[in-house]
Amino acid sequence: RDTISHYERSYRVISLYITPETDISTINKTTVDNFIISLRERNIASQTITSYIKDLSAILHFFMREEYMSSFSISAPRVDNHPVEIYTDEDLKRLLKKPNMKRCDFTEYTNWVIVNFFLGTGIRLSSLVAIKIKDIDFDNELCNITHTKNRKALVIPINGQLMKVIREYLKYRKPFSEEDYLFCNTFGEQINKFTLPENLRAYNKKRGVTRTGIH
């Protein structure tokens, strides 16, 4: 599902520049180079541009093999390397401080639990949103991660402090069954992996932490 969504987004961006009405035989290296320039003018990150060009390259190489167009080499632009944001000890203290349960809303409380879960397990965003309540082994303090980048399931330990946080959270979460997702929005639905980063950015900034990257 994630892969399909990725290609759909790429197609929408590519089709804004190379429209469906474009004669395939007229596409050449200059077309691709100008597409890259147009993306850079929109201040799109180099990593994202590289991703778009790789997707476009897959399409064009198919056309080349079918002899719909002349062959030419396509090189993805180099990715700008930026240092990963590192949270300081002071940042972590602020992020891990439990919110006032009488004043905070469900979203803020859930974000606090999620921050604890990320720091306690080190799992990826896509893995976190896919966790169901049944994946938590409370007796052995383990978590079954069924959604991973390489599609291989993992079993990771959960320390006692984090397990305590999860148990308390579920009292407020009030799930209907073990098939429910562990983390949900205010409507009880699976938390969206695209809105979660925005929620956490707001959570960080509210606590005076300027670094907002999940990584």
Side-chain angles (χ1 to χ4, degrees):
R1 186 177 64 181
D2 291 344
T3 301
I4 293 175
S5 296
H6 164 80
Y7 284 119
E8 287 177 342
R9 289 194 298 274
S10 287
Y11 174 77
R12 286 195 294 269
V13 173
I14 293 170
S15 62
L16 290 175
Y17 184 79
I18 305 177
T19 65
E21 293 77 24
T22 302
D23 184 342
I24 295 174
S25 64
T26 65
I27 298 175
N28 53 34
K29 189 176 187 304
T30 300
T31 307
V32 176
D33 291 342
N34 287 337
F35 176 54
I36 294 174
I37 292 173
S38 72
L39 294 175
R40 286 173 173 165
E41 289 176 343
R42 292 165 56 188
N43 293 321
I44 294 177
S46 62
Q47 180 64 59
T48 304
I49 293 176
T50 297
S51 178
Y52 288 148
I53 296 305
K54 287 181 177 179
D55 294 340
L56 176 59
S57 176
I59 298 171
L60 297 186
H61 278 118
F62 168 77
F63 291 154
M64 293 175 192
R65 289 195 300 272
E66 295 297 318
E67 298 183 350
Y68 294 148
M69 57 185 292
S70 300
S71 297
F72 60 91
S73 62
I74 303 174
S75 300
R78 295 179 62 181
V79 176
D80 297 331
N81 293 319
H82 299 289
V84 177
E85 290 185 310
I86 302 297
Y87 289 99
T88 65
D89 289 343
E90 181 59 32
D91 288 338
L92 296 179
K93 288 179 181 179
R94 293 182 180 184
L95 296 177
L96 292 173
K97 183 178 180 181
K98 187 176 181 180
N100 187 320
M101 299 300 290
K102 295 182 180 180
R103 297 180 180 178
C104 73
D105 57 19
F106 181 74
T107 299
E108 181 181 357
Y109 176 58
T110 301
N111 288 335
W112 175 74
V113 176
I114 289 174
V115 167
N116 275 269
F117 205 96
F118 272 134
L119 291 171
T121 62
I123 64 173
R124 297 169 60 87
L125 170 61
S126 57
S127 297
L128 179 134
V129 299
I131 296 174
K132 293 187 175 182
I133 295 172
K134 68 178 183 180
D135 295 324
I136 305 295
D137 183 344
F138 291 95
D139 293 331
N140 298 302
E141 298 189 344
L142 299 171
C143 180
N144 297 303
I145 307 298
T146 58
H147 186 96
T148 63
K149 186 175 183 179
N150 62 8
R151 300 183 181 180
K152 294 182 179 180
L154 297 173
V155 178
I156 59 175
I158 299 178
N159 64 58
Q161 181 61 36
L162 178 55
M163 187 61 75
K164 181 179 178 181
V165 170
I166 295 172
R167 289 181 186 276
E168 181 190 65
Y169 163 73
L170 287 176
K171 291 181 181 179
Y172 291 92
R173 164 79 172 79
K174 296 180 180 178
F176 291 103
S177 75
E178 290 192 342
E179 291 294 329
D180 288 350
Y181 288 98
L182 178 62
F183 296 110
C184 66
N185 58 25
T186 53
F187 302 104
E189 302 167 340
Q190 180 186 17
I191 199 163
N192 189 299
K193 77 171 189 176
F194 297 110
T195 58
L196 178 56
E198 293 298 325
N199 291 342
L200 291 179
R201 287 190 190 97
Y203 173 85
N204 284 22
K205 290 180 179 179
K206 183 177 180 179
R207 289 172 174 247
V209 178
T210 58
R211 299 169 183 80
T212 58
I214 289 179
H215 289 291

